[in-house]
Amino acid sequence: TATMNKKKPFLGLPAPLGYLPGLARGATGFTTRSDIGPASNANHPTADQHALLGRRTVGDQVKKNQKTADDDGDDGDLNDTNYDEFNGYAGSLFSSGPYEKDDEEADAAYAALDKRMDERRKERREQREKEETEKYRRERPKIQQQFSDLKRKLAEVTEDEWLSIPEAGDARNKRQRNPRYEKLTPVPDSFFEKHLQSGENHTSVDPRQTQFGGLNIPYPGGLNTPYPGGMTPGLMTPGTGELDMRKIGQARNTLMDMRLSQVSDSVAGQTVVDPKGYLTDLNSMIPTHGGNINDIKKARLLLKSVRGTNPHHPPAWIASARLEEVTGKLQVARNLIMKGTEMCPKSEDVWLEAARLQPGDTAKAVVAQAVQHLPQSVRIYVRAAELETDIRAKKRVLRKGLEHVPNSVRLWKAAVELEEPEDARIMLSRAVECCPTCVEMWLALARLETHENARKVLNKAQENIPMDRHIWITAAKLEEASGNTQMVEKIIDRAITSLRANGVEINREQWIQDAEECDKAGSVATCQAIMRAVIGIGIEEEDQKHTWMEDADRCVAHDALECARAIYAYALQVFPSKKSQKELVEKAREAYNQGLKKCPHSIPLWVLLSRLEEKVGQLTRARAILEKSRLKNPKNPDLWLESVRLEYRAGLKNIANTLMAKALQECPNSGILWSEAIFLEARPQRKTKSVDALKKCEHDPYVLLAVAKLFWSEHKITKAREWFHHTVKTDSDLGDAWAFFYKFELQHGTKEQQEEVRKRCENAEPRHGELWCDVSKDIENWQKKVGEILVLVAAKLKNTF
């Protein structure tokens, strides 16, 4: 212990000079910042400020740009990073010598040379550095580049997927992150009743109540009421403290009925609410206007201001009602418009708007009030008729309107449309007296009248409306339908003259359109007459050829072929030597000639070729063609018949009779020739000719038909009907006979007789006949039935015999 307590003599004394702890054991010491003091910046401008003037060396200049050894004269740092291949570790050999002007010039020269050499190698060096950098980036890509493909895939992430990504650091469990909606279970009324009576406040449900599915009622006779009469009277039963649940249910039902009544809508006599259930059609409550609610409020405020400043302005009330209508407030719109009718009782638009917004019977009442204020309003009468569902009621309303406004064309048209043909004819007779300038009613009356009366009606229409072309065109169509084609041309020419005399400009395009309509309606003669009358109006002589060719092409494009034919025929008459018109004729002629070379015994080809020459005015060539055809096809009655008709159409009746005599000598038993010969004779000789025909062809249908037509022309109705019956009985396949028979009954028979002929024709289904085939084989009639074709053929027949 004494030894241990003895103090060492060197303790507390300073260490000897040069002493390093542990040096004898091989340990080396280390130096810290506290041992050497604060560091100094070698580049600081004050680092060499204490050096003597004139003793600064090259090393002093180098120290300004790079860090070198310490100022105490050490050899410098021997680290590998300080090694230079040229200078080694020691740096420049002459760093301690004086830095003179020639040294500065030498350094500048060397620096310029280094710069020059560096520029020569710069491009290769930069390329090499770039390649090395790219190689390094490929081998060691950045983290950003490693996730670039994943970043691109983020564009495919939907909004729901993005929102489902949990927040970083969300340490909550799944139940906490995705909480379920809180479930609320309604408490039964008995629960509240029990605690109302006890006066207690509970914040939880008795476990026994949830265990057994209801309240624990100790007395099976009802609720436990220990304190009867303790509650405030009202819903409590009289004399007891019990809560009357029945009255609560009744009050709830009453409240629901009131709400259902408020939202009910009876525009169409129905309600948008299901009275038996509590589900309503919410679509009926949604406003149809898609604008901003603020804009609606502004519009409502503005219209209210307009109504206040000028309450007698009808558009303000109409606009206000329509605004409320589009926003879904139909009842408010009705109230507004009815207020408008009070403020503007003479406004027709306000009353019509009120009738539109009101339902069924209410609208009728509104219109009835409107009639009292505006008895001359045509639109109100028309609206009143539209509201009626019974035809008789509609007629009554319109006739009432005609009593107040007898010159209203609109009311007359609406009233006539509801009547039967006979009653309509009577009403139109009165209508044209009240509205003598209405062309449509004159034309409608003419269509309902007989031929003679229709002619009188159109004559009166021309007197009242001398400046309308439709009346003249209708008159021409009427004459064509009755077979009086000679009058068609005269009527059209008279129409042009009369219209010009009354100062009406003849619009060529309008007349051509009328001609196309006549063509489509089957009035060929009227169509051609119109084209001949107006085709040259307003056209210069040098423009005629070009204009007419365009007109013809346009008519063909509109399927008005008869109009096109009329234009070509007129052009050929004006320019008989024009090459452009002849080109088409030459092509047609060449086609027929080629066909006749192949089929020299084809009778239709010979007939068509002769008609082509006749149409272009080459009558002599047409005769020659027919003579040639008779030589190649002797004893052919069809070719003889065409030759006779050619001369008759040319006005050479004597030559036609001569040819007919030759034809009957060559073909004495041809019924079609004998039927034609009967009507070539004058009226006194026709009966004799018919007797000769019957002797030669007693049972030929054409001869029998000619005899029937002969009696018809002599107004011997009974005999004519007998011979028509005899004709169709002899040959029921001859469609021409059925057409003439039906035409005869249309003029002289009853409806029953007409219907009988039509039904017999439908049962017979005729397929032959010159006139019948022209209509039945027309492309436009390919879907028509036999009865329809019969009507068309009968309409084309003309009483020229």
Side-chain angles (χ1 to χ4, degrees), residues 455-474:
R455 184 180 295 175
K456 296 177 182 179
V457 169
L458 292 176
N459 289 334
K460 291 182 181 179
Q462 292 171 5
E463 295 175 0
N464 289 277
I465 316 172
M467 295 182 294
D468 192 275
R469 68 183 189 280
H470 295 95
I471 298 175
W472 293 95
I473 295 174
T474 305

Side-chain angles (χ1 to χ4, degrees), residues 26 58 138 169 183 202 274 356 363 368 414 439 523 534 606 642 664 677 743 756:
V58 177
R138 287 194 301 268
K183 295 183 179 179
H202 295 273
D274 183 7
R356 185 184 68 84
V439 179
S523 302
V534 303
W606 289 106
E642 184 64 25
L664 291 175
K743 181 80 170 182
E756 180 186 358

Side-chain angles (χ1 to χ4, degrees), residues 363-375:
K364 295 180 182 179
V366 171
V367 173
Q369 296 179 13
V371 169
Q372 295 178 1
H373 291 279
L374 299 170

Side-chain angles (χ1 to χ4, degrees), residues 296-369:
I296 298 175
K297 291 181 178 179
K298 292 179 181 178
R300 187 179 287 119
L301 183 62
L302 178 62
L303 291 173
K304 182 179 180 181
S305 176
V306 174
R307 297 195 308 270
T309 55
N310 190 3
H312 301 289
H313 187 55
W317 295 99
I318 296 174
S320 301
R322 290 183 179 177
L323 176 63
E324 301 301 337
E325 180 187 11
V326 299
T327 55
K329 299 181 178 181
L330 187 59
Q331 189 59 42
V332 177
R334 292 170 178 169
N335 296 337
L336 278 172
I337 200 63
M338 293 308 297
K339 182 67 175 177
T341 59
E342 297 176 2
M343 303 303 297
C344 308
K346 298 298 182 181
S347 174
E348 187 180 52
D349 294 331
V350 172
W351 285 108
L352 291 174
E353 186 69 14
R356 185 184 68 84
L357 291 175
Q358 295 294 344
D361 295 335
T362 309
K364 295 180 182 179
V366 171
V367 173
Q369 296 179 13

Side-chain angles (χ1 to χ4, degrees), residues 160-430:
D160 296 336
E161 294 176 347
W162 181 265
L163 294 176
S164 63
I165 298 176
E167 296 292 339
D170 192 352
R172 295 178 299 171
N173 56 24
K174 182 177 180 181
R175 180 175 298 177
Q176 292 173 339
R177 289 196 303 270
N178 300 316
R180 293 184 177 180
Y181 291 105
E182 183 178 2
K183 295 183 179 179
L184 300 177
T185 303
V187 181
D189 297 339
S190 57
F191 176 80
F192 296 105
E193 180 185 8
K194 177 179 178 180
H195 292 283
L196 279 172
Q197 296 173 354
S198 61
E200 298 177 357
N201 294 328
H202 295 273
T203 59
S204 61
V205 181
D206 190 348
R208 293 177 298 173
Q209 296 175 351
T210 60
Q211 179 180 1
F212 298 104
L215 296 175
N216 187 13
I217 303 175
Y219 303 101
L223 297 175
N224 188 10
T225 55
Y227 304 101
M231 301 299 294
T232 304
L235 293 178
M236 310 301 292
T237 55
T240 65
E242 297 180 355
L243 187 65
D244 192 346
M245 305 304 297
R246 182 176 58 83
K247 290 187 177 180
I248 293 178
Q250 292 177 353
R252 182 168 51 194
N253 293 338
T254 304
L255 181 61
M256 183 60 66
D257 291 340
M258 293 174 59
R259 292 181 179 177
L260 293 176
S261 300
Q262 291 175 357
V263 299
S264 64
D265 184 8
S266 59
V267 175
Q270 297 179 353
T271 177
V272 297
V273 180
D274 183 7
K276 297 181 180 179
Y278 297 142
L279 296 178
T280 61
D281 186 4
L282 297 180
N283 291 331
S284 63
M285 305 297 293
I286 298 176
T288 58
H289 180 67
N292 192 350
I293 190 65
N294 294 326
D295 296 338
I296 298 175
K297 291 181 178 179
K298 292 179 181 178
R300 187 179 287 119
L301 183 62
L302 178 62
L303 291 173
K304 182 179 180 181
S305 176
V306 174
R307 297 195 308 270
T309 55
N310 190 3
H312 301 289
H313 187 55
W317 295 99
I318 296 174
S320 301
R322 290 183 179 177
L323 176 63
E324 301 301 337
E325 180 187 11
V326 299
T327 55
K329 299 181 178 181
L330 187 59
Q331 189 59 42
V332 177
R334 292 170 178 169
N335 296 337
L336 278 172
I337 200 63
M338 293 308 297
K339 182 67 175 177
T341 59
E342 297 176 2
M343 303 303 297
C344 308
K346 298 298 182 181
S347 174
E348 187 180 52
D349 294 331
V350 172
W351 285 108
L352 291 174
E353 186 69 14
R356 185 184 68 84
L357 291 175
Q358 295 294 344
D361 295 335
T362 309
K364 295 180 182 179
V366 171
V367 173
Q369 296 179 13
V371 169
Q372 295 178 1
H373 291 279
L374 299 170
Q376 303 294 324
S377 176
V378 176
R379 295 170 60 192
I380 291 178
Y381 284 112
V382 173
R383 179 57 181 164
E386 292 175 353
L387 290 174
E388 299 292 343
T389 56
D390 185 29
I391 298 297
R392 290 179 296 180
K394 288 180 181 289
K395 293 180 181 180
R396 186 168 54 252
V397 170
L398 293 174
R399 289 175 181 176
K400 187 69 175 179
L402 288 173
E403 293 178 2
H404 291 85
V405 195
N407 59 347
S408 173
V409 176
R410 184 176 180 183
L411 289 178
W412 279 110
K413 288 182 179 179
V416 170
E417 289 176 355
L418 299 176
E419 302 292 342
E420 296 296 329
E422 185 61 28
D423 295 334
R425 184 182 61 81
I426 298 173
M427 291 196 68
L428 284 172
S429 300
R430 176 60 180 164

Side-chain angles (χ1 to χ4, degrees), residues 22 129 192 267 344 452 605 613 629:
E129 291 176 353
F192 296 105
V267 175
C344 308
E452 293 298 329
L605 285 178
E613 299 297 346
S629 67

